[in-house]
Amino acid sequence: MIQEKILQVLESENVVAIATQGEKGPHLVNTWNSYIHIIEDDRLIFPAGGMETTENNVKEDENVLMTLGSREVEGFNGPGTGFLIEGTAEFKNSGEEFELISENFPWARAAVVVTIDSITQTL
């Protein structure tokens, strides 16, 4: 499911946007491409330092949207590409996923695990 271009994008240092839906409407938070790791072929994992609003939103509605990109990776029309990832998220503060994250990010209070439903190249 994860395309080669996404792997190339994750090798560069760019911002990732994560959108959730809550009582007060949409909420956006950011992380870095380099914080995201792929587990299995349809799941992403990354650390949560803060992200309290995101976590509270996910407790009520697990659906998330993520966008990521890089100017260094070839897109449809030249340099630069981006992706929209749709999926579901959960926050883990114990267990295998949390241990994997806390090894690399000792400041993480939780691991965010996103199960991918779809990936769309946007640029």
Side-chain angles (χ1 to χ4, degrees):
M1 174 177 279
I2 296 177
Q3 296 116 325
E4 179 64 32
K5 281 197 187 276
I6 289 180
L7 300 176
Q8 294 172 13
V9 167
L10 291 175
E11 291 175 4
S12 63
E13 191 62 88
N14 291 289
V15 71
V16 176
I18 303 138
T20 57
Q21 182 68 32
E23 263 184 40
K24 296 180 181 179
H27 175 74
L28 289 170
V29 69
N30 297 116
T31 193
W32 298 106
N33 286 3
S34 62
Y35 286 8
I36 296 175
H37 297 277
I38 299 167
I39 53 176
E40 300 168 12
D41 192 38
D42 66 342
R43 295 189 327 148
L44 306 175
I45 187 170
F46 52 91
M51 297 190 186
E52 288 90 358
T53 300
T54 302
E55 182 175 20
N56 289 333
N57 288 350
V58 165
K59 287 177 184 174
E60 300 299 319
D61 180 351
E62 65 185 6
N63 294 297
V64 296
L65 300 175
M66 297 175 64
T67 60
L68 59 129
S70 172
R71 291 182 68 159
E72 288 80 40
V73 178
E74 189 74 17
F76 291 136
N77 300 306
T81 191
F83 292 89
L84 169 65
I85 297 173
E86 298 180 63
T88 56
E90 62 181 312
F91 282 68
K92 305 254 184 146
N93 55 17
S94 64
E96 185 178 336
E97 289 98 344
F98 178 69
E99 292 301 320
L100 176 67
I101 284 300
S102 62
E103 286 175 13
N104 295 311
F105 306 98
W107 48 263
R109 66 171 189 83
V112 183
V113 181
V114 174
T115 301
I116 300 168
D117 292 329
S118 69
I119 299 173
T120 305
Q121 187 173 348
T122 59
L123 293 171

